[in-house]
């Protein structure tokens, strides 16, 4: 599937370049007519590349929530540890 | 001192020692995580730059723009409208951003946030090292996913590297113009061809640099991620010496990757893809 997308992207890039060459070679009046074609070709490249980037995302919202939870866990652990360390330092002076 | 007092004191000193050792281990982990975070930020920056350059045009002098505009005003037979004005002022400036581009940027922004969120997990790890161990272990599977994402981008960059699409089109247009020009004699034409070839080769060199540079960042980030994964997976077991060594290796590693030739970077990224998908 992703190799297919890579092939499509390669083709879309060539199609865009062809459109761009035609556009740049034309006289100004023809160019005005070709402009939408160039935009369309560029849009296709960008659309496919955006799709490819999105397809690669495997981290879910649940994962992001989990990351926040883990961060809190460690922060809590830090508070607990701080308290414990203070306690120990007090104890050491008594032992 | 009674035996009980001695035992209590030893026990407490052990705990203090343990916390100190854990703290060092945790600091090393945080350092590795930070290295990974920085590397992924750089990689995404390079990625975004390369993406923008695909549709960049050659710079045009003010004089050239002026001449072009005046010629257009002379030759253009239709009415000027909001939709064609940009093209009439500067043909290169004609195509602009679109929805797909915005979608790409949005996905990249989301990606950045994910990695930042992950690194933030370890913000207070050195303070919470002893009791935070289980949280560290739980972050392991998430890091696997984050690394898979990087591997996918690396693979796609290897198969379809960024190109200077618009600049290529411009040079091709110029070449056709030289070929169709009837006014040149053979010698002038050959000279123009030679000059054109130099421009083309310069562009290809520039493109190769762009591709290698972008790929290099992702290879670095991927390798640092691999190291971090090892440390996280073994957090409960790893001793401090190995962790310090791993961090030092991480610094040397990035240094080495920066010195690799383009061919070597390509080999590394291909190997990386193969191991990451196992």
């Amino acid at each position: 599937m992703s190799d297919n997308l890579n092939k499509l992207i390669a083709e879309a890039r060539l199609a865009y370049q062809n459109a761009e060459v035609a556009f740049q070679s034309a006289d100004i009046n023809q160019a005005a007519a070709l402009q939408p074609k160039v935009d369309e070709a560029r849009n296709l490249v960008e659309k496919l590349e955006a799709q490819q980037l999105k397809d690669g995302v495997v981290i879910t919202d649940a994962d992001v929530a989990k990351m926040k939870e883990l961060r809190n866990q460690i922060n809590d652990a830090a508070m607990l540890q701080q308290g414990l360390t203070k306690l120990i330092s007090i104890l050491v002076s008594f032992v | 001192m009674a035996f009980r007092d001695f035992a209590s004191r030893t026990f407490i000193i052990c705990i203090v020692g343990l916390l100190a050792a854990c703290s060092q281990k945790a600091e090393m982990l945080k350092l590795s995580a930070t290295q990974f975070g920085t590397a992924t930020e750089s990689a995404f920056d390079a990625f975004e730059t390369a993406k923008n350059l695909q549709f960049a045009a050659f710079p045009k002098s003010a004089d050239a723009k002026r001449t072009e505009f005046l010629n257009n005003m002379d030759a253009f037979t239709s009415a000027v409208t909001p939709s064609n004005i940009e093209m009439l002022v500067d043909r290169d400036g004609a195509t602009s951003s679109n929805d797909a581009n915005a979608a790409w940027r949005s996905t990249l922004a989301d990606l950045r946030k994910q990695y930042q969120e992950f690194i933030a997990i370890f913000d207070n790890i050195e303070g919470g090292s002893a009791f935070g161990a289980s949280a560290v272990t739980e972050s392991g599977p998430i890091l696997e996913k984050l690394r898979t994402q990087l591997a996918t981008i690396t693979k796609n960059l290897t198969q379809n590297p960024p190109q200077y699409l618009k600049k290529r089109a411009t040079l091709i247009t110029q070449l056709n113009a030289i070929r169709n020009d009837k006014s040149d004699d053979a010698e002038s034409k050959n000279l123009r061809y030679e000059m054109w070839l130099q421009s083309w080769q310069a562009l290809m060199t520039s493109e190769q640099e762009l591709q290698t540079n972008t790929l290099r960042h992702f290879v670095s980030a991927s390798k640092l991620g691999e190291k971090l994964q090892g440390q996280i997976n073994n957090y409960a077991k790893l001793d401090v010496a190995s962790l310090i060594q791993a961090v030092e290796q991480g610094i040397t590693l990035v240094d080495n990757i920066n010195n690799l030739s383009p061919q070597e970077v390509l080999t590394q990224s291909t190997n990386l893809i193969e191991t990451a998908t196992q």
Side-chain angles (χ1 to χ4, degrees):
Chain A
M1 168 66 199
S2 68
D3 281 330
N4 245 352
L5 199 50
N6 267 326
K7 248 191 266 170
L8 285 175
I9 289 176
E11 280 169 23
R13 285 178 177 182
L14 275 175
Y16 163 74
Q17 286 177 70
N18 280 328
E20 189 70 45
V21 169
F23 176 70
Q24 292 188 28
S25 313
D27 70 55
I28 194 63
N29 293 299
Q30 285 175 323
L34 290 171
Q35 168 88 75
K37 292 254 182 292
V38 177
D39 282 345
E40 200 185 303
R42 176 176 168 164
N43 270 357
L44 186 58
V45 175
E46 305 234 62
K47 196 166 149 198
L48 289 169
E49 290 182 348
Q51 187 60 51
Q52 189 178 62
L53 189 63
K54 189 131 191 264
D55 285 350
V57 177
V58 295
I59 290 273
T60 61
D61 286 339
D63 291 325
V64 176
K66 181 77 183 175
M67 288 196 260
K68 293 191 160 106
E69 189 192 307
L70 291 175
R71 182 183 185 178
N72 287 336
Q73 260 183 49
I74 291 183
N75 288 347
D76 286 345
M79 274 197 336
L80 174 65
Q81 202 159 307
Q82 242 184 338
L84 187 67
T85 312
K86 243 190 237 159
L87 177 65
I88 287 179
S89 61
I90 293 170
L91 285 177
V92 163
S93 54
F94 278 103
V95 172
Chain B
M1 212 192 314
F3 178 70
R4 239 189 72 195
D5 292 332
F6 174 72
S8 319
R9 186 167 210 174
T10 312
F11 175 68
I12 283 174
I13 289 172
C14 282
I15 297 228
V16 172
L18 173 69
L19 289 177
C22 280
S23 176
Q24 226 184 341
K25 183 167 81 163
E27 275 168 25
M28 290 298 125
L29 181 66
K30 184 170 175 176
L31 196 54
S32 285
T34 308
Q35 282 177 335
F36 177 60
T38 305
T40 54
E41 277 292 325
S42 296
F44 290 138
D45 285 343
F47 197 15
E48 195 153 10
T49 302
K51 174 94 173 131
N52 289 339
L53 288 174
Q54 290 209 116
F55 299 101
F58 283 110
K60 229 182 254 181
S61 71
D63 271 349
K65 287 186 191 176
R66 203 178 128 268
T67 310
E68 186 187 321
F69 178 63
L70 293 176
N71 288 341
N72 287 346
M73 288 301 100
D74 199 40
F76 195 53
T77 55
S78 316
V80 175
T81 67
S83 40
N84 63 30
I85 181 65
E86 280 176 18
M87 180 206 61
L88 289 169
V89 169
D90 181 358
R91 207 184 287 207
D92 281 343
T95 51
S96 48
S97 264
N98 50 54
D99 285 341
N101 191 277
W104 191 92
R105 282 179 205 292
S106 173
T107 306
L108 194 74
D110 286 343
L111 280 169
R112 281 190 203 262
K113 263 187 259 163
Q114 289 169 6
Y115 293 82
Q116 286 164 1
E117 197 73 62
F118 185 76
I119 308 309
I121 292 176
F122 307 102
D123 271 353
N124 283 319
I125 186 68
E126 67 272 34
S129 50
F131 303 111
S134 65
V136 171
T137 308
E138 276 185 75
S139 73
I142 297 180
L143 181 60
E144 295 273 10
K145 283 185 157 188
L146 289 171
R147 287 173 56 216
T148 303
Q149 288 181 167
L150 289 179
T152 304
I153 295 177
T154 307
K155 169 171 154 279
N156 290 330
L157 278 173
T158 311
Q159 288 181 359
N160 257 339
Q163 291 180 314
Y164 285 112
L165 298 175
K166 197 166 198 171
K167 287 184 180 178
R168 280 174 174 241
T170 303
L171 287 183
I172 292 168
T173 306
Q174 285 177 9
L175 186 59
N176 278 329
I178 298 172
R179 284 163 60 83
N180 295 333
D181 195 344
K182 307 271 186 271
S183 59
D184 278 342
D185 56 67
E187 209 178 300
S188 320
K189 194 161 261 201
N190 281 341
L191 194 60
R192 290 178 74 187
Y193 280 144
E194 278 171 30
M195 281 169 59
W196 180 92
L197 187 61
Q198 278 178 12
S199 303
W200 180 259
Q201 285 165 343
L203 184 66
M204 290 302 107
T205 304
S206 190
E207 204 178 77
Q208 180 67 61
E209 273 167 25
L210 181 69
Q211 292 170 359
T212 305
N213 188 48
T214 313
L215 206 55
R216 202 189 291 274
H217 279 106
F218 278 96
V219 171
S220 284
S222 297
K223 295 241 160 170
L224 286 170
E226 198 183 346
K227 281 205 151 320
L228 181 62
Q229 188 79 60
Q231 285 171 246
I232 285 177
N233 291 350
N234 294 316
Y235 190 66
K237 322 164 206 159
L238 214 56
D239 68 345
V240 181
S242 316
L243 267 169
I244 294 174
Q245 192 185 40
V247 169
E248 282 170 1
Q249 276 177 359
I251 295 168
T252 318
L253 190 81
V254 172
D255 225 44
N256 284 344
I257 289 173
N258 285 340
N259 291 332
L260 293 177
S261 73
Q263 192 54 45
E264 285 164 344
V265 172
L266 204 61
T267 310
Q268 290 277 13
S269 75
T270 314
N271 291 343
L272 203 64
I273 292 161
E274 279 156 15
T275 52
T277 53
Q278 272 158 13

